[in-house]
Structures are given as C-alpha cells and as structure tokens.
C-alpha cells in the first residue's frame, strides 16, 4: 500500500498529491525539484514506449546510462515515412525486417549536426532488450534489428542482454500480476514463469543497467505523486495533462544519492486507459523503494490533433520531423522533467 510521506524540507514549497487510484487525484502540482545523480538516469518502455526509450537513450546518451527495450524497434526506424513504415518497423512484413544500418546512418548524421549526443556516449551504456516468442504486435525480427543497431552504434555485445525465449505475448512481464503469459491484450501486463519462477522483468532490466540491487520490497511504502506536464509541454504534443512520479521514502529524506528511471507506457496503456496498472503493478516501484530510485511515469494520450488514435509515443513523426532528436517535443519534455529531478546547485 502506498502511504503518505511526512513533509520534508525538500518539499517545503511544493504541494505533492498522493495518488490513491486512477481517479483519486485531487489536483496536479509542479514536479518537485530533487538532487538525484544526473549521471545515473536510465529509461525503459514497452511497445511505442520501447521505441521512445531507444530514441531517448540515443539522443541523450551522454547522460543516460542504460535502457530497457521491451518489444521495440531500432532508432529512427520510421524515418520520414511516418505511419507508412510502421508495419516494417514492427516486424509485420515477412522477410523484410528493419535495416539497422540505415538507422545507424541517420543517427550518425544527427550526431554530426549536433541534433543528438555523439554516438560514442553509448559505449559505456547497458541495454536490456526483450521480445516474447508469442508477441503478435511487434515481432522478433524487429526487435532483433534493435539489438543489431546498438551493436553497430558501438555498444559492446557484453553490455547488451537480449531475452528472446520467453513464450510471452506483447506485454511487460511480472511474476504474478496481469494476463496469462501468451496474451496480446490490455492492459499489456502479463505474468510468466521462467525456470520455475515468476519472471520479474523490472528487476531483470534494472539489474542489468545498474548492477547488483537490493531485493525488492513486497509492497512499496513510497509515494506516487501526480504532477502537471503542461509546465513542460503543451497539448499539441499529444502528452497528457498529468504525469506521475514514484518517490521512495529514502529519496524524500535525502535525494542526493538517488537515481532516476523513466518508465514509458505503451500504446493504449496510459492512465486514461488502464488506470494505475502501469505505474503501480509492473514491479518498478518494488525495486525502486529499496534502491533509492525515483521512477518517472510520463503520459501520452490518444488524440486527433496530433493524429495519435491509440495514445502511442511518437516514433513515427506525428509531432514533427525532429521527433527523434533532442529538440523533438516529447523527448525534450521528458529530458526537462529528468533535469528537474536531477537539479543540483
């Protein structure tokens, strides 16, 4: 159960709101200022959130130490083709997988022109990649291309963990919560058994990125707060009015030794669609509570302008041609949120 944390000096000028349910938010406040380590940021996501996690990792590689990519394709896969490239990028066209070499050329061009960080920033990063064998939304040939892209971009193979034998559908995987393992259905959270034990995907990807972690707590005691995303981006971005942040008690008391993980939901998986399932039941908070980890849950909703009927993160360019660069409106908004959480004198 989530509990309220007594006010600390860090929050003296902020009114934080406890989220008791998907509809129990009284009001949204400003995202609080923390002093988390700016060089200990990581990102992960499912589906469109995974494509977005790849974009964030590549665009801001100087300050992102690792990424978790669950059912996502390679960087800038859609290029300038938009939705017409979606089927190829999702691996839905037999014998026509995404071409990671073309994606690398685009990334190199963006880096050379200063539109993303230099690619050598990836060399020390750690990448977790997952593709379920029963996934009928983003097929394995697309995810294979993601692994190949990171290798071509300079990430050593020893720093890439590719989990591709679990008989799961299109979902984030937990030990117990959600649909049966092979499901490809809302809320796109499933439980799977691997080698006799429930597979804890959040722990596997965070452990790969950060190394040995303290054991997760059975029930997070930290606080979920809603915050106003409009401070960072307008409605024309497709992003929702509110985002969410999990704050462990240890970070509320002293955030100087805390880290930030950005967890990006998939299509049709925002709070507006699945309630608190993504930010409460995917396992991130259980690990965050015992490992001084702030978890940022940005939100994007379905919209007609921009055209985003399923509430997906922008990996096809619906917010404009710069969508995969540091000036892309969604990427820049998330980076500004991370900067708020890692602000230091």
């Amino acid at each position: 159960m989530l509990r309220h944390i007594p006010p600390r000096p860090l929050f003296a000028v902020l009114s934080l709101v406890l989220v008791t349910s998907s509809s129990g938010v009284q009001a949204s406040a400003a995202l609080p200022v923390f002093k988390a380590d700016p060089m200990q940021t990581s990102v992960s996501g499912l589906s469109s959130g995974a494509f977005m996690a790849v974009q964030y990792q590549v665009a801001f590689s100087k300050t992102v130490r690792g990424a978790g990519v669950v059912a996502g394709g390679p960087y800038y896969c859609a290029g300038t083709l938009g939705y017409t490239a979606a089927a190829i990028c999702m691996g839905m066209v037999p014998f026509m997988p995404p071409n990671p070499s073309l994606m690398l050329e685009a990334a190199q061009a963006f880096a050379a022109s200063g539109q993303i960080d230099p690619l050598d920033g990836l060399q020390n990063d750690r990448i977790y990649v997952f593709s379920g064998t029963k996934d009928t939304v983003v097929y394995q040939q697309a995810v294979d291309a993601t692994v190949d892209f990171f290798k071509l971009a300079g990430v050593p193979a020893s720093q890439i963990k590719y989990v591709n034998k679990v008989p799961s559908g299109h979902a984030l995987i937990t030990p117990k919560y959600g649909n049966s393992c092979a499901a490809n259905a809302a809320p796109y959270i499933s439980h799977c058994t691997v080698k006799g034990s429930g597979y804890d995907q959040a722990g596997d990807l965070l452990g790969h990125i950060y190394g040995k972690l303290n054991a997760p707590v059975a029930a997070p005691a930290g606080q979920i707060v809603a915050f106003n995303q409009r401070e960072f981006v307008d409605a024309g971005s497709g992003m929702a009015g509110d985002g969410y942040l999990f704050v462990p008690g240890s970070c509320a008391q002293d955030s100087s030794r805390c880290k930030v993980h950005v967890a990006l939901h998939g299509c049709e998986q925002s709070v507006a669609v699945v309630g608190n399932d993504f930010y409460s039941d995917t396992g991130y908070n259980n690990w965050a509570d015992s490992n001084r980890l702030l978890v940022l849950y940005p939100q994007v909703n379905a919209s007609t302008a921009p055209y985003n009927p399923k509430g997906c993160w922008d990996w096809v360019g619906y917010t404009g041609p710069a969508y995969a660069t540091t000036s892309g409106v969604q990427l820049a908004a998330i980076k500004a949120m991370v900067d708020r959480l890692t602000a230091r004198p």
Side-chain angles (χ1 to χ4, degrees), residues 276-298:
N276 64 5
D277 285 2
F278 188 82
Y279 71 64
S280 288
D281 297 312
T282 48
Y284 288 105
N285 301 343
N286 303 69
W287 290 92
D289 212 45
S290 55
N291 288 281
R292 302 183 66 88
L293 190 64
L294 297 160
V295 186
L296 179 68
Y297 295 99

Side-chain angles (χ1 to χ4, degrees), residues 149-263:
F149 168 82
F150 278 114
K151 289 179 179 177
L152 290 171
V155 181
S158 61
Q159 293 166 205
I160 300 174
K161 182 172 186 176
Y162 188 19
V163 180
N164 61 355
K165 304 297 184 185
V166 179
S168 71
H170 191 70
L172 280 173
I173 310 304
T174 74
K176 297 179 180 179
Y177 182 79
N179 297 326
S180 60
C181 189
N184 288 276
Y188 302 104
I189 303 168
S190 299
H191 58 86
C192 297
T193 299
V194 176
K195 296 181 179 179
S197 299
Y199 181 56
D200 191 331
Q201 187 165 66
D204 199 14
L205 73 85
L206 290 172
H208 179 69
I209 293 170
Y210 289 112
K212 185 174 177 58
L213 299 174
N214 296 324
V217 299
Q223 182 180 6
I224 291 273
V225 296
F227 67 91
N228 184 3
Q229 291 192 150
R230 288 291 168 262
E231 180 181 2
F232 303 97
V233 70
D234 63 32
S237 66
M239 292 180 67
D242 285 348
Y244 300 86
L245 176 71
F246 176 75
V247 184
S250 57
C251 293
Q253 296 166 18
D254 176 12
S255 61
S256 62
R257 293 188 292 115
C258 291
K259 301 176 283 288
V260 175
H261 183 75
V262 182

Side-chain angles (χ1 to χ4, degrees), residues 55-56 58-59 75-76 110 115-116 314 320-328 331:
Q55 290 175 180
Y56 193 88
V58 174
Y75 177 79
Y76 199 57
F110 286 144
Q115 296 181 77
I116 63 173
D314 185 11
Y323 68 94
T325 71
T326 57
S327 61
L331 285 179

